[in-house]
Amino acid sequence: MKNFEIAKILYNIALYLEMEEEQFKPRAYEKAARSIEALTEDVSGIYKRGGIKALMEIPGVGESIAEKIEEMLLTGKLKYYERLKKRIPVDIEGLTSIEGVGPKTIKILYKKLKIRTVGQLEKVAKQGRISKLEGFGNKSEQDILRGIEFLKRGKGRFLLGYAMPLLKEIEGRLGKLPEVKKVDIGGSTRRMKETIGDADFLVVSSKPQKVMDFFTTMPEIAHVSSKGLTKSMVKLKNGLDADIRVVPEGSYGAALQYFTGNKDHNIALRKIAIEKGWKLSEYGIFDKSDRQIAGKSEEEVYKKLGMAWIPPELRENTGEIEAAMKNKLPKLIDYGSLKGDLQIQTKWTDGTNSIKEMAEEAENLGLEYIAITDHTKRNAFVGGLDEKQILKQKKEIEKTNKELDGLRILSGTEVDILKNGVLDISDKVLSQLDVVGASVHSNFNLSKVQQTERIIKAMENEHVDILFHPTGRVIQQREPYDVDMERIIQTAKETGTILEINAFPSRLDLKDEHIKLAVKHGAKLIINSDAHNKNQIRFLEFGVAQARRGWAESKDVVNTRKLKDFLKLLK
Ligand code: DGT
Ligand code: CA
Ligand code: CA
Ligand code: ZN
């Protein structure tokens, strides 16, 4: 068991005990949970090293809690916790997954309204009964309802960046089968959407039985939902559903086009076909006498319909069809075209690798420059750096640069924007760094006006080159802060501040529509990985995907430039 899992169970125990009106025990469990969360070492490692005795050296962990941790580590379960769950049937895990609902709220809701599940909470909130409780109001009731909506919307969808490696691996395996002539992943995966509902494999094969046998017996499969000669459906062990279809070679392009979608894009294309007196389906385009006139390749299908081939990332029926008909599609930024990564954290704060390790990995991935941008002092919970430490780190970067021959490391920071828009590091220090990114890490709930003013103020600082995390959202976990994106984009343009497309799979702060707007106004963009360990630098490509979905070209993204030209674009 990982530290955070142990801590979570201890927190939940504290909450259950509190519901039972226990006096001191809840505090004890909370305290232990907090110090376990703050540990830099794995609890399992501590236990292996010195058993219960070593566990008891963790602040707040006494003998009784140490024994419980031992049980969790050895059995993966805790009988005491299971008993509490039975005795007090409140779905703490479900309820705490609603944004803004914490232990305090759950306790009151249980005592006053006997609420035990998310479903019950939704019902009473809709009846207006939450707003009548002491300490709650209309706003908290609406917040709860919004939180529940948000949770429901995200249910069952998977973050593309985390699902992709396994899907690519399966695609590769299918491609190696001698019976398989062609294979692709269609659907939202091919369109590189932020999240995917299920994966859609498409195959051409002369021996479909063999392909289906192979697909439905892969080690990653939890169960087979259906199996046929042209279509099978499975659930993978990670929870993701995957379909596979075997299609005739002569229809492959039409099938790939159809199963890539999205649905609205397909419907619009079908309408165009009908206007021409034809029929478009996953088998091809057919004329009045039902003769196939296109379908072998996607290019052929689009061409027959009178337009250029449309990159999958654009297929959302948001103007791409019109643009393709006029031959006015953007020349999208290419995968693999980034030369730098300007948001990287290291061991100096909450990253796990050293400056040098991050640099070497970036070089392996073909980058020419990176910036080290650790957190600053306001974010004490991740060991944020103060002025002195930042300058010390700068020295270490200079030293490391001498040890490298290819890649150049820039000194930087992810400086914190305080509630009033002031930065938590002095201008004097910021002025000595190569690159400064600024981001919001607190007070997410300010009004739209206040939040926008706060961020604009930071962007007006002459040292702030990049606005990191322009919306602060965490997909499926935290909503974006309320900001006037038009004004942020305007300010970016006026002040020469670059807007970040954060590539981290759960972040992707700027959505496609934001990127489109920034491109339209001519604001500059940058794609950063936000890597906290060296394996995460690879996330950059998901940022490129997001940029493509926002119609961005290479010229819109500053880190497609060589170092020398990139540096010229900074303030
Ligand atoms: P997802 O799985 O929710 O992330 O999104 P998609 O786009 O992968 O959707 P999915 O898996 O339900 O279907 C794959 C594609 O098949 C979809 O993008 C377009 C096509 N498709 C599905 N249902 C329909 C439909 O009713 N009409 C049309 N024209 N196309 C459809
Ligand atoms: Ca799908
Ligand atoms: Ca599907
Ligand atoms: Zn961090």
Side-chain angles (χ1 to χ4, degrees):
M1 260 185 158
K2 299 250 161 51
N3 288 10
F4 78 92
E5 294 168 306
I6 296 170
K8 193 167 160 202
I9 290 180
L10 296 176
Y11 276 124
N12 288 351
I13 291 176
L15 187 51
Y16 280 128
L17 292 173
E18 218 171 301
M19 287 178 173
E20 293 209 310
E21 304 290 342
E22 286 268 0
Q23 289 298 314
F24 305 108
K25 271 195 195 165
R27 294 291 89 73
Y29 278 94
E30 252 176 54
K31 197 168 163 211
R34 232 180 338 224
S35 44
I36 285 173
E37 262 181 338
L39 288 177
T40 48
E41 194 182 349
D42 282 343
V43 174
S44 59
I46 298 177
Y47 178 71
K48 262 188 218 128
R49 201 181 61 219
I52 292 220
K53 271 228 167 69
L55 290 177
M56 285 169 67
E57 277 160 29
I58 302 170
V61 175
E63 191 166 4
S64 142
I65 294 183
E67 281 167 359
K68 293 192 173 69
I69 295 174
E70 177 180 47
E71 187 186 332
M72 285 190 256
L73 289 173
L74 296 178
T75 69
K77 275 205 286 245
L78 182 60
K79 288 206 189 86
Y80 176 69
Y81 180 51
E82 299 303 321
R83 277 203 304 275
L84 279 173
K85 277 208 263 193
K86 276 219 185 88
R87 202 157 72 216
I88 316 163
V90 177
D91 176 19
I92 290 189
E93 284 168 23
L95 289 164
T96 45
S97 58
I98 305 169
E99 194 190 347
V101 174
K104 258 207 322 251
T105 312
I106 294 178
K107 191 176 141 200
I108 298 169
L109 292 171
Y110 176 65
K111 289 208 167 138
K112 300 265 167 80
L113 298 172
K114 288 273 158 293
I115 284 166
R116 291 181 279 108
T117 64
V118 177
Q120 290 170 341
L121 178 58
E122 183 174 15
K123 201 163 138 210
V124 300
K126 283 194 172 144
Q127 292 166 342
R129 286 166 66 196
I130 306 281
S131 54
K132 304 220 168 62
L133 291 178
E134 203 185 306
F136 291 76
N138 256 327
K139 184 170 180 311
S140 27
E141 190 167 85
Q142 288 313 312
D143 284 349
I144 286 175
L145 282 173
R146 249 192 320 124
I148 294 174
E149 242 347 275
F150 188 63
L151 196 68
K152 278 201 206 153
R153 250 186 290 138
K155 265 258 158 70
R157 297 191 65 83
F158 286 71
L159 293 170
L160 178 72
Y162 295 143
M164 193 66 123
L166 176 60
L167 298 180
K168 280 283 168 202
E169 148 102 38
I170 293 175
E171 183 189 23
R173 258 187 253 162
L174 286 167
K176 283 208 194 91
L177 294 181
E179 297 81 20
V180 168
K181 230 173 149 176
K182 277 185 184 153
V183 57
D184 274 291
I185 313 173
S188 46
T189 313
R190 182 154 179 251
R191 303 200 316 280
M192 301 296 275
K193 290 282 283 183
E194 299 160 355
T195 63
I196 59 173
D198 74 349
D200 307 275
F201 289 93
L202 216 58
V203 166
V204 172
S205 169
S206 51
K207 298 202 174 82
Q209 185 69 53
K210 286 236 159 116
V211 177
M212 294 308 191
D213 288 345
F214 176 85
F215 188 75
T216 53
T217 55
M218 295 186 301
E220 290 84 4
I221 279 165
H223 73 256
V224 178
S225 317
S226 69
K227 185 178 170 191
L229 267 189
T230 54
K231 183 179 178 190
S232 299
M233 291 168 74
V234 300
K235 190 178 272 302
L236 301 173
K237 282 181 183 152
N238 65 10
L240 183 64
D241 290 318
D243 303 345
I244 186 166
R245 289 180 178 82
V246 178
V247 302
E249 191 166 14
S251 296
Y252 191 70
L256 183 58
Q257 192 290 311
Y258 181 90
F259 291 111
T260 297
N262 74 359
K263 198 171 153 182
D264 294 341
H265 175 91
N266 287 355
I267 292 171
L269 289 189
R270 196 186 304 150
K271 236 180 91 195
I272 293 171
I274 290 169
E275 280 162 11
K276 292 183 188 287
W278 302 330
K279 205 182 93 208
L280 168 65
S281 74
E282 64 263 47
Y283 296 104
I285 305 180
F286 297 86
D287 66 10
K288 282 203 183 73
S289 50
D290 233 9
R291 196 171 54 99
Q292 198 210 51
I293 51 173
K296 197 163 191 305
S297 72
E298 270 196 339
E299 284 80 2
E300 195 181 278
V301 172
Y302 282 102
K303 194 170 166 207
K304 200 85 199 163
L305 294 176
M307 63 189 88
W309 178 83
I310 301 177
E313 294 90 335
L314 301 185
R315 300 184 193 171
E316 302 286 328
N317 195 27
T318 48
E320 76 281 7
I321 293 174
E322 293 76 3
M325 289 203 286
K326 288 189 222 141
N327 230 331
K328 288 223 162 108
L329 285 171
K331 200 187 162 323
L332 298 181
I333 172 175
D334 283 320
Y335 290 104
S337 63
L338 297 180
K339 297 194 164 59
D341 186 353
L342 290 297
Q343 188 184 161
I344 283 184
Q345 275 76 226
T346 69
K347 265 209 287 224
W348 283 67
T349 59
D350 60 346
T352 47
N353 288 109
S354 66
I355 295 172
K356 190 158 185 202
E357 286 164 345
M358 294 306 268
E360 284 169 348
E361 182 66 10
E363 191 163 14
N364 288 340
L365 293 174
L367 296 181
E368 291 172 15
Y369 51 97
I370 60 171
I372 301 299
T373 56
D374 275 298
H375 297 282
T376 52
K377 61 190 178 193
R378 168 52 216 269
N379 293 299
F381 53 93
V382 293
L385 309 182
D386 62 18
E387 275 90 350
K388 239 171 100 183
Q389 291 166 308
I390 290 177
L391 293 176
K392 193 168 153 215
Q393 186 185 53
K394 191 182 167 212
K395 286 238 164 67
E396 164 139 354
I397 289 173
E398 281 159 14
K399 192 178 127 241
T400 313
N401 265 325
K402 288 198 189 107
E403 295 164 15
L404 300 170
D405 37 28
L407 179 127
R408 165 88 181 277
I409 313 169
L410 303 173
S411 60
T413 179
E414 177 176 5
V415 65
D416 191 70
I417 306 173
L418 301 173
K419 190 177 172 190
N420 58 5
V422 172
L423 307 175
D424 78 332
I425 296 295
S426 72
D427 282 358
K428 193 167 154 237
V429 169
L430 296 181
S431 71
Q432 299 174 55
L433 301 174
D434 296 319
V435 191
V436 173
S439 38
V440 162
H441 287 105
S442 61
N443 299 97
F444 297 130
N445 292 325
L446 298 184
S447 71
K448 188 172 189 163
V449 173
Q450 253 185 311
Q451 195 68 274
T452 306
E453 290 304 326
R454 169 196 194 181
I455 293 173
I456 286 180
K457 183 157 178 198
M459 293 169 82
E460 281 166 348
N461 181 303
E462 60 175 330
H463 303 297
V464 172
D465 300 299
I466 311 170
L467 176 65
F468 284 167
H469 294 297
T471 71
R473 73 161 169 172
V474 183
I475 298 174
Q476 294 171 356
Q477 288 176 47
R478 188 171 75 208
E479 293 224 56
Y481 16 88
D482 205 1
V483 285
D484 184 340
M485 198 43 81
E486 290 252 7
R487 281 199 63 206
I488 299 282
I489 289 170
Q490 203 52 47
T491 310
K493 187 140 173 46
E494 281 161 19
T495 59
T497 313
I498 303 161
L499 297 176
E500 182 188 62
I501 297 176
N502 192 288
F504 209 83
S506 55
R507 305 298 294 258
L508 297 167
D509 285 69
L510 288 185
K511 291 201 221 177
D512 47 1
E513 68 217 50
H514 299 138
I515 297 168
K516 246 177 155 171
L517 204 62
V519 168
K520 190 178 128 202
H521 287 284
K524 286 190 294 244
L525 297 161
I526 190 164
I527 300 171
N528 296 328
S529 72
D530 198 359
H532 283 64
N533 71 56
K534 60 183 191 163
N535 296 321
Q536 295 174 338
I537 302 175
R538 285 185 171 71
F539 290 156
L540 280 176
E541 291 300 282
F542 297 103
V544 176
Q546 189 80 343
R548 288 169 65 89
R549 295 202 318 103
W551 295 48
E553 304 193 353
S554 184
K555 67 171 169 40
D556 301 311
V557 179
V558 296
N559 51 334
T560 55
R561 305 222 197 350
K562 288 184 178 320
L563 177 65
K564 200 170 88 224
D565 300 323
F566 166 75
L567 289 174
K568 278 188 219 148
L569 293 172
L570 302 178
K571 292 184 192 167

